[in-house]
Short mmCIF file of all heavy atoms in Angstrom, two decimals:
data_model
loop_
_atom_site.label_atom_id
_atom_site.label_comp_id
_atom_site.label_asym_id
_atom_site.label_seq_id
_atom_site.Cartn_x
_atom_site.Cartn_y
_atom_site.Cartn_z
N GLY A 122 -6.92 14.90 3.15
CA GLY A 122 -7.52 16.03 2.42
C GLY A 122 -7.31 16.01 0.91
O GLY A 122 -8.28 16.34 0.19
N ALA A 123 -6.15 15.52 0.53
CA ALA A 123 -5.89 15.46 -0.88
C ALA A 123 -6.79 14.40 -1.55
O ALA A 123 -7.41 14.68 -2.66
CB ALA A 123 -4.43 15.02 -1.14
N LEU A 124 -7.04 13.32 -0.88
CA LEU A 124 -7.93 12.29 -1.51
C LEU A 124 -9.35 12.65 -1.36
O LEU A 124 -10.22 12.26 -2.14
CB LEU A 124 -7.63 10.93 -0.90
CG LEU A 124 -6.19 10.53 -1.48
CD1 LEU A 124 -5.52 9.60 -0.47
CD2 LEU A 124 -6.24 9.89 -2.81
N LEU A 125 -9.69 13.52 -0.45
CA LEU A 125 -11.07 14.05 -0.40
C LEU A 125 -11.33 14.92 -1.59
O LEU A 125 -12.47 14.98 -2.17
CB LEU A 125 -11.23 14.92 0.90
CG LEU A 125 -12.59 15.57 1.09
CD1 LEU A 125 -13.75 14.54 1.15
CD2 LEU A 125 -12.63 16.43 2.36
N MET A 126 -10.32 15.62 -2.03
CA MET A 126 -10.49 16.41 -3.34
C MET A 126 -10.77 15.51 -4.46
O MET A 126 -11.64 15.83 -5.30
CB MET A 126 -9.14 17.17 -3.61
CG MET A 126 -8.84 18.28 -2.63
SD MET A 126 -7.26 19.10 -3.18
CE MET A 126 -6.94 20.13 -1.76
N VAL A 127 -10.13 14.30 -4.52
CA VAL A 127 -10.44 13.38 -5.53
C VAL A 127 -11.79 12.91 -5.48
O VAL A 127 -12.55 12.83 -6.51
CB VAL A 127 -9.43 12.20 -5.50
CG1 VAL A 127 -9.80 11.10 -6.51
CG2 VAL A 127 -8.03 12.64 -5.69
N VAL A 128 -12.38 12.61 -4.29
CA VAL A 128 -13.72 12.17 -4.09
C VAL A 128 -14.66 13.26 -4.51
O VAL A 128 -15.69 12.92 -5.22
CB VAL A 128 -14.00 11.69 -2.65
CG1 VAL A 128 -15.45 11.45 -2.46
CG2 VAL A 128 -13.10 10.54 -2.33
N LEU A 129 -14.42 14.51 -4.19
CA LEU A 129 -15.33 15.65 -4.53
C LEU A 129 -15.34 15.87 -6.01
O LEU A 129 -16.22 16.49 -6.55
CB LEU A 129 -14.86 16.89 -3.77
CG LEU A 129 -15.13 16.88 -2.28
CD1 LEU A 129 -14.54 18.15 -1.68
CD2 LEU A 129 -16.51 16.70 -1.93
N SER A 130 -14.29 15.41 -6.71
CA SER A 130 -14.22 15.63 -8.18
C SER A 130 -15.11 14.56 -8.91
O SER A 130 -15.24 14.67 -10.12
CB SER A 130 -12.75 15.52 -8.64
OG SER A 130 -12.34 14.17 -8.61
N LEU A 131 -15.74 13.73 -8.19
CA LEU A 131 -16.53 12.61 -8.90
C LEU A 131 -17.89 13.08 -9.20
O LEU A 131 -18.47 13.90 -8.41
CB LEU A 131 -16.53 11.36 -7.99
CG LEU A 131 -15.14 10.75 -7.70
CD1 LEU A 131 -15.31 9.69 -6.62
CD2 LEU A 131 -14.51 10.23 -8.90
N ASN A 132 -18.46 12.53 -10.22
CA ASN A 132 -19.83 12.84 -10.56
C ASN A 132 -20.48 11.50 -11.06
O ASN A 132 -20.12 10.99 -12.11
CB ASN A 132 -19.87 13.89 -11.69
CG ASN A 132 -21.32 14.29 -12.00
OD1 ASN A 132 -22.29 13.59 -11.75
ND2 ASN A 132 -21.46 15.53 -12.53
N GLU A 133 -21.35 10.99 -10.20
CA GLU A 133 -21.87 9.62 -10.49
C GLU A 133 -22.62 9.62 -11.86
O GLU A 133 -22.58 8.58 -12.55
CB GLU A 133 -22.91 9.24 -9.40
CG GLU A 133 -23.38 7.85 -9.53
CD GLU A 133 -24.30 7.46 -8.37
OE1 GLU A 133 -24.44 8.24 -7.45
OE2 GLU A 133 -24.87 6.37 -8.37
N SER A 134 -23.25 10.72 -12.24
CA SER A 134 -24.04 10.69 -13.48
C SER A 134 -23.15 10.84 -14.72
O SER A 134 -23.51 10.44 -15.82
CB SER A 134 -25.06 11.89 -13.52
OG SER A 134 -24.36 13.09 -13.41
N ALA A 135 -21.89 11.40 -14.49
CA ALA A 135 -20.97 11.63 -15.63
C ALA A 135 -19.88 10.58 -15.71
O ALA A 135 -19.42 10.24 -16.83
CB ALA A 135 -20.42 12.99 -15.57
N ASP A 136 -19.38 10.08 -14.52
CA ASP A 136 -18.32 9.12 -14.54
C ASP A 136 -18.87 7.72 -14.95
O ASP A 136 -19.85 7.25 -14.55
CB ASP A 136 -17.67 9.06 -13.18
CG ASP A 136 -17.01 10.37 -12.75
OD1 ASP A 136 -16.54 11.05 -13.66
OD2 ASP A 136 -16.98 10.63 -11.56
N SER A 137 -17.99 7.08 -15.83
CA SER A 137 -18.39 5.76 -16.31
C SER A 137 -17.45 4.74 -15.84
O SER A 137 -16.31 5.02 -15.47
CB SER A 137 -18.40 5.75 -17.83
OG SER A 137 -17.05 6.12 -18.36
N VAL A 138 -17.90 3.47 -15.74
CA VAL A 138 -17.04 2.31 -15.37
C VAL A 138 -16.66 1.60 -16.61
O VAL A 138 -17.44 1.07 -17.35
CB VAL A 138 -17.88 1.36 -14.42
CG1 VAL A 138 -17.02 0.19 -14.01
CG2 VAL A 138 -18.38 2.20 -13.26
N SER A 139 -15.32 1.59 -16.85
CA SER A 139 -14.77 0.88 -17.99
C SER A 139 -14.89 -0.62 -17.96
O SER A 139 -14.93 -1.15 -16.81
CB SER A 139 -13.39 1.32 -18.25
OG SER A 139 -12.85 0.60 -19.36
N GLN A 140 -15.00 -1.30 -19.09
CA GLN A 140 -15.11 -2.74 -19.06
C GLN A 140 -13.94 -3.43 -19.74
O GLN A 140 -13.91 -4.70 -19.73
CB GLN A 140 -16.37 -3.12 -19.79
CG GLN A 140 -17.67 -2.69 -19.11
CD GLN A 140 -17.81 -3.23 -17.68
OE1 GLN A 140 -17.49 -4.41 -17.45
NE2 GLN A 140 -18.29 -2.39 -16.77
N ALA A 141 -12.94 -2.74 -20.24
CA ALA A 141 -11.81 -3.36 -20.95
C ALA A 141 -10.67 -2.44 -21.04
O ALA A 141 -10.82 -1.26 -20.92
CB ALA A 141 -12.29 -3.88 -22.34
N ALA A 142 -9.51 -3.05 -21.28
CA ALA A 142 -8.27 -2.20 -21.54
C ALA A 142 -7.32 -3.07 -22.46
O ALA A 142 -7.31 -4.31 -22.31
CB ALA A 142 -7.52 -1.96 -20.20
N PRO A 143 -6.68 -2.45 -23.39
CA PRO A 143 -5.73 -3.23 -24.26
C PRO A 143 -4.61 -3.87 -23.45
O PRO A 143 -3.98 -3.24 -22.63
CB PRO A 143 -5.18 -2.14 -25.21
CG PRO A 143 -6.14 -0.95 -25.03
CD PRO A 143 -6.63 -0.96 -23.62
N TYR A 144 -4.41 -5.09 -23.70
CA TYR A 144 -3.36 -5.87 -22.97
C TYR A 144 -1.99 -5.27 -23.14
O TYR A 144 -1.19 -5.20 -22.16
CB TYR A 144 -3.39 -7.35 -23.41
CG TYR A 144 -4.65 -8.17 -23.00
CD1 TYR A 144 -5.02 -9.26 -23.64
CD2 TYR A 144 -5.44 -7.64 -21.92
CE1 TYR A 144 -6.17 -9.97 -23.32
CE2 TYR A 144 -6.58 -8.29 -21.62
CZ TYR A 144 -6.91 -9.50 -22.25
OH TYR A 144 -8.09 -10.17 -21.91
N PRO A 145 -1.56 -4.89 -24.38
CA PRO A 145 -0.22 -4.28 -24.48
C PRO A 145 -0.04 -3.05 -23.61
O PRO A 145 1.02 -2.80 -23.06
CB PRO A 145 -0.12 -3.95 -25.91
CG PRO A 145 -1.09 -4.91 -26.65
CD PRO A 145 -2.19 -5.05 -25.69
N LEU A 146 -1.10 -2.22 -23.50
CA LEU A 146 -1.01 -1.02 -22.68
C LEU A 146 -0.86 -1.36 -21.23
O LEU A 146 -0.08 -0.76 -20.49
CB LEU A 146 -2.22 -0.13 -22.91
CG LEU A 146 -2.30 1.18 -22.07
CD1 LEU A 146 -1.10 1.99 -22.45
CD2 LEU A 146 -3.65 1.88 -22.42
N ILE A 147 -1.61 -2.37 -20.77
CA ILE A 147 -1.53 -2.82 -19.34
C ILE A 147 -0.13 -3.28 -19.01
O ILE A 147 0.46 -2.93 -17.99
CB ILE A 147 -2.57 -3.92 -19.09
CG1 ILE A 147 -4.02 -3.38 -19.08
CG2 ILE A 147 -2.31 -4.62 -17.76
CD1 ILE A 147 -4.32 -2.38 -18.02
N LEU A 148 0.44 -4.08 -19.92
CA LEU A 148 1.82 -4.60 -19.74
C LEU A 148 2.81 -3.49 -19.77
O LEU A 148 3.81 -3.47 -19.03
CB LEU A 148 2.12 -5.66 -20.75
CG LEU A 148 1.33 -6.94 -20.64
CD1 LEU A 148 1.68 -7.91 -21.82
CD2 LEU A 148 1.57 -7.67 -19.27
N LEU A 149 2.62 -2.53 -20.66
CA LEU A 149 3.55 -1.32 -20.71
C LEU A 149 3.53 -0.54 -19.45
O LEU A 149 4.54 0.04 -19.07
CB LEU A 149 3.09 -0.47 -21.95
CG LEU A 149 4.01 0.76 -22.21
CD1 LEU A 149 5.38 0.32 -22.63
CD2 LEU A 149 3.38 1.62 -23.29
N VAL A 150 2.41 -0.48 -18.78
CA VAL A 150 2.27 0.23 -17.52
C VAL A 150 2.86 -0.59 -16.37
O VAL A 150 3.56 -0.10 -15.51
CB VAL A 150 0.83 0.63 -17.23
CG1 VAL A 150 0.63 1.14 -15.82
CG2 VAL A 150 0.40 1.69 -18.25
N CYS A 151 2.46 -1.89 -16.40
CA CYS A 151 2.75 -2.74 -15.17
C CYS A 151 4.16 -3.21 -15.04
O CYS A 151 4.75 -3.26 -13.96
CB CYS A 151 1.76 -3.92 -15.19
SG CYS A 151 0.04 -3.42 -14.92
#
Side-chain angles (χ1 to χ4, degrees):
L124 290 154
L125 177 61
M126 293 182 188
V127 175
V128 174
L129 292 176
S130 72
L131 301 171
N132 186 336
E133 185 177 357
S134 61
D136 293 330
S137 58
V138 180
S139 175
Q140 296 300 322
Y144 293 158
L146 179 59
I147 290 294
L148 293 175
L149 182 63
V150 169
C151 292

